[in-house]
Amino acid sequence: MSVNDRMTQLTENFSKLPEISDRDTKKSAIEEIKAKLETLPTDQLKEIAQNVNYNLVLPELASDDRELIDPLCDILRKLFDTLEGGEVYSKYREALITALRVNEVPVKMLTLRELTRTIQDPIALSILCKDSYVLDLILKNVADEDLTIVQMSGVILKKIGEDANGLKILCKQFHKDLTELISKNSTVGFRVLEIIVDISVHSKEGLQACEEAGFLNNLILLLSDNEILVQLNALELVTKLALHPEGLNYLERNDVLQELAEKIVQANEDPLSSLLIPGLIKFFGNVAQNTPNEIFSNYPGVIAALFEVIEAENLQILPIALDTLGHISVRVEGKYALDDLGDAMPRVLKKLADVLRRLPSEIKIRALNNLGLILKVEEFEQDNRILSLTKSWFDLLGDDPLDLIVSFCKQPFADIRGAGLEVLGIIALQMWGQEYIANAPGLIEFLLDRSIESFKECKEAKFEVVRTLSRTTADIFDANTIQRFKQFVTEGPMYVETITDVATEGAL
């Protein structure tokens, strides 16, 4: 039998599955088809996929017999993948709907996966956006117990919401359905609100439509819910909204930032509110990264609370406060805004040095990571003003701040050793840091000594320090040292030195 004849027979056998009434016979037939398909190359699979009548086969998935539907789903997924995205939906919509209504996870995953492929095709997407019946079935899956099903449905709905027609249909035609899902329970409600926020941050039109539909107001109301956990979850979504200019503008227009700032200021008056402090500090830290001056000037109480948390040394909140300070410091504008606060940063940096000397390792690592962000300045951003500022901040860490950092670079544990080397690399990028390194006794030898590094990540971190130093243009290191740096870089981070001379001790 020729290849073409075998393919024709296989296609016919597949299409004839609905004619088999005996369960065991059908099971054997499916398993045989699956085994044969697994041996075929892609071009033959594609030819079979194009000739199968899915109007006959897809309804076969309307069963609760997993021994039949599991292998059948595997077969269909393999065939669908050879077709163009949207082809199955366009040609076999009714059959696909039949499968989409089946309440079995493998079938739902198969159909949603195919619809996910469908939305990648602009023409198919525009058709799907107007398909109210299919959209309704997809929307119902947001409340499913299986998180994979929920995620797949969310991806499709977000893509629908990015389309002008799809956005209009979701916010108007499905307004009642979405509102009911938001009110169903907190878990399902947050799933829907996450979709709403993602649509809102995608475009100005998306935000306007979701605002006019009242969906965003549903989210804002949750910030005042009686349950602290609900407030924290809402805060996560509001943070995502605030990181986009239009979203931040919406929050400010509705006085949301002012209300959140007041929650921080009043936290001491309400014991339950204090549980929100980590989330609130994180929120304002993310927002302040993009607009530090506005946040500092409009909400001074928030920044004061951040510094109070760090200075109070509350170990539960301290890591988040340090992360927030690091976020704000990432950009040069954030560094200048912090410097404008007067003695706040000097106090915090002295506290940071104290944290590095006394507190547990996990806190020290977090502190080192954020110290790196505080001090980091990219080469293209460097000028006398910013370099003078970072040097003054570094000097606040103690009488010999470089020795403090190097002490971590020599720790026997990979995580804290690596964190120390990361900070050293940031210092090495700035001229004042290069001068400190050049004048530190034994530090050059430590950096060039490969034999003391056993951790891959530490070897790579040390390599980055040396590579940075090898590019120094100022007359800070002598020619011989620069040559040794370059040789180290040429050899790469994982170079292993060979021992050519072995000293032996003579017999006594």
Side-chain angles (χ1 to χ4, degrees), residues 4 28 52 60-61 82 95 120 130 147 276 290 352 376 428 474:
N4 287 336
S28 297
V52 168
E60 288 293 296
L61 295 171
T82 68
Q120 305 308 316
K130 302 171 186 175
L147 292 181
L276 284 171
N290 293 327
L352 192 59
K376 187 172 183 178

Side-chain angles (χ1 to χ4, degrees), residues 307-320:
F307 287 121
E308 285 175 11
V309 167
I310 295 175
E311 293 185 82
E313 213 175 278
N314 182 328
L315 296 188
Q316 289 185 320
I317 305 178
L318 182 59
I320 292 174

